[in-house]
Amino acid sequence: MRRIADYEVRGKRILVRVDLNCPVENGKIIGDTRIRAHAGTIKGLSDRGARVVVLSHQGRRGRDDFITLEQHARALHRIIGKDVTYVEDVVGPKAREAIKNLKDGDILVLDNVRHLHCETEHPHGRGEIIVHLSPLADYYVLDALSVAHRKHSSIVGFSHSMPCFAGGVLAAEIDAVDKVRHGRDVTFIFGGSKVEDSFAVMKRWLSDGRAKEVLVGGALAVLFLHAQGHNVGDSLAYLKDSGLTGKAAEARELLDRFDGKIVLPVDVGLSVPGAADVSPPAIIRQESDVQNIRKGQIWDIGPRTVERYVEAINNSHFIVMNGPAGVYELDDFSRGTKSILEAISRSDAFSLLGGGHTISAMERFGLDPRNFGYVSLSGKALIEYLCGEELPGVAALNENEKKFPVGK
Ligand code: 3PG
Ligand code: MG
């Protein structure tokens, strides 16, 4: 995969597909981790004299997070410290005029590409965005692994019309995940509630014998404990409400098939009602061995489990963590997730952290991302790539290189 960092860009009009998709609350973007990451690529190209056109989506049609990119453009300006122009248009006359008028080093942000139906719905990823913007640009850069699993126009479509390259964020993310993909004896630590994603990675890595162990926490652990026949107390209602009881048979099958490789908690932190005379009613943490759970919900792993998991971390060369071990947003139930993250940050292993909640937990505990091998910006794309699947965005870049050779 050729990288834009290796090529001359001065004077070139470059379409840069980033992933500025941020969490949104009441119409405002909250959390700018992705904006900060891609700002580096955008600034780098601008500093080198390119004429930069930023393309991104935000949210999904019909949801509250489906907003324009105006706030993102302002955030980019703040972070980069250079002028950033925004036009509320993607392929219309306003956008096209603004692209034509760019000077060396200028940065232009177009509107949310998903405002065009063709972005997500064109069967071959060659919607009108490709038709209108291709004649106005010299190069295309894909900078986000986090969108590379989507066969959308702005991700795969430009590969038919101009030289395409990987940006720094995509390149770094691929390098990091490849380190793990080529590794053996990888320790996985899975939590959270994205059960299907965890199952997919487990099946892949446990079947070919390259996973050392899978340490389980979060709702995933509750499901496995239930599948193993343990009483999970009031967490059973949670499993039912979230449709996870339907996954119990598959969980049991995995435990049978990969005997001893899937490590479950031996004790847990239960949330039980505290004093009744306070308002709102207090919730307290109660430790319990998994054999003795009767009441309360499982909200964290217990201290003996933490000890076991930390020891595994200390004996690993490669670690992948995806999903928190408990309700890390509450101090009393954050101990498991915090201890695991702290141990990973201290260890010499190459570690890959993925999933929005894992990253939020790391930030909440004040842990420095530089103490981890790589902190991924991707969700589903990371899971698919870890499962060995070919991502359409990455495949498009690789094919493009043969079709549009460029001298350095
Ligand atoms: C994400 O946050 O998962 C990426 O930005 C991709 O968005 P999508 O899941 O809506 O395609
Ligand atoms: Mg997604």
Side-chain angles (χ1 to χ4, degrees):
M1 206 169 57
R2 61 186 164 187
R3 298 166 184 216
I4 196 63
D6 300 328
Y7 291 81
E8 177 59 47
V9 295
R10 182 162 298 280
K12 300 270 190 247
R13 285 206 186 87
I14 306 188
L15 303 170
V16 187
R17 177 53 159 104
V18 292
D19 182 4
L20 304 182
N21 187 27
C22 295
V24 170
E25 244 175 51
N26 302 321
K28 299 261 173 299
I29 53 174
I30 51 164
D32 58 0
T33 313
R34 281 177 171 165
I35 301 181
R36 285 186 181 281
H38 292 296
T41 303
I42 295 165
K43 180 175 186 303
L45 290 170
S46 156
D47 287 349
R48 291 163 61 207
R51 305 171 180 204
V52 187
V53 182
V54 178
L55 301 173
S56 177
H57 75 286
Q58 166 63 57
R60 293 188 193 171
R61 188 175 293 278
R63 291 198 188 167
D64 288 347
D65 64 352
F66 191 57
I67 59 173
T68 74
L69 293 186
E70 190 181 358
Q71 295 175 59
H72 309 65
R74 265 188 271 130
L76 276 174
H77 162 66
R78 250 192 338 267
I79 295 163
I80 295 175
K82 283 182 158 186
D83 282 347
V84 172
T85 308
Y86 168 71
V87 289
E88 204 172 313
D89 185 12
V90 186
V91 295
K94 266 200 288 185
R96 301 208 298 264
E97 219 29 51
I99 297 174
K100 283 182 198 154
N101 291 335
L102 287 173
K103 308 266 179 314
D104 292 3
D106 283 354
I107 302 169
L108 170 70
V109 177
L110 300 183
D111 199 4
N112 186 347
V113 289
R114 287 189 184 171
H115 282 163
L116 302 174
H117 283 277
C118 70
E119 166 68 3
T120 50
E121 288 161 22
H122 197 282
H124 306 294
R126 294 194 215 183
E128 55 182 321
I129 187 167
I130 308 302
V131 175
H132 288 294
L133 300 189
S134 290
L136 301 178
D138 301 297
Y139 290 164
Y140 168 88
V141 170
L142 180 63
D143 197 36
L145 182 76
S146 53
V147 297
H149 61 313
R150 302 273 182 231
K151 213 171 177 177
H152 293 171
S153 289
S154 71
I155 298 160
V156 297
F158 291 106
S159 65
H160 306 286
S161 47
M162 70 185 86
C164 299
F165 304 82
V169 172
L170 174 66
E173 193 129 348
I174 293 267
D175 286 348
V177 191
D178 277 351
K179 246 189 221 184
V180 172
R181 288 216 308 178
H182 301 141
R184 295 196 66 82
D185 287 341
V186 180
T187 300
F188 289 88
I189 306 166
F190 282 141
S193 54
K194 296 205 169 153
V195 166
E196 273 170 33
D197 288 352
S198 305
F199 280 3
V201 180
M202 278 185 197
K203 278 182 201 158
R204 170 83 193 193
W205 284 76
L206 287 167
S207 329
D208 64 17
R210 292 189 306 131
K212 191 174 180 192
E213 281 181 329
V214 182
L215 313 174
V216 178
L220 184 67
V222 179
L223 173 63
F224 272 118
L225 290 170
H226 167 68
Q228 222 180 22
H230 285 289
N231 184 345
V232 292
D234 300 326
S235 287
L236 186 59
Y238 165 80
L239 290 181
K240 282 185 182 155
D241 290 348
S242 48
L244 287 178
T245 32
K247 299 266 168 218
E250 199 177 349
R252 213 165 14 241
E253 220 175 274
L254 284 170
L255 289 171
D256 289 345
R257 191 164 149 211
F258 303 112
D259 189 30
K261 289 282 186 181
I262 300 172
V263 183
L264 304 188
V266 291
D267 57 350
V268 292
L270 293 172
S271 89
V272 295
D277 54 350
V278 289
S279 170
I283 279 178
I284 55 167
R285 176 178 174 128
Q286 195 176 77
E287 307 298 343
S288 173
D289 285 350
V290 292
Q291 290 86 353
N292 301 325
I293 303 168
R294 296 289 171 267
K295 276 191 164 9
Q297 289 198 39
I298 302 171
W299 278 11
D300 197 7
I301 53 174
R304 287 198 298 124
T305 306
V306 167
E307 215 174 292
R308 163 73 173 86
Y309 288 6
V310 168
E311 195 189 318
I313 289 165
N314 292 339
N315 290 318
S316 298
H317 295 295
F318 294 99
I319 298 167
V320 176
M321 176 172 178
N322 201 307
V327 185
Y328 69 93
E329 299 91 335
L330 301 176
D331 284 343
D332 275 349
F333 299 93
S334 67
R335 289 177 213 162
T337 309
K338 189 164 186 240
S339 308
I340 288 172
L341 280 167
E342 283 174 349
I344 298 174
S345 75
R346 281 192 309 265
S347 93
D348 298 328
F350 179 80
S351 57
L352 177 65
L353 301 193
H357 289 297
T358 319
I359 316 304
S360 305
M362 177 197 77
E363 287 166 355
R364 183 182 162 85
F365 305 141
L367 296 170
D368 189 337
R370 287 170 300 187
N371 292 333
F372 297 89
Y374 193 77
V375 179
S376 170
L377 298 163
S378 308
K380 193 77 175 174
L382 174 68
I383 299 294
E384 289 186 15
Y385 196 58
L386 271 175
C387 286
E389 285 168 36
E390 185 176 61
L391 305 183
V394 175
L397 286 187
N398 287 330
E399 281 156 29
N400 174 273
E401 192 171 343
K402 292 168 230 149
K403 232 159 92 188
F404 292 91
V406 179
K408 285 198 184 176

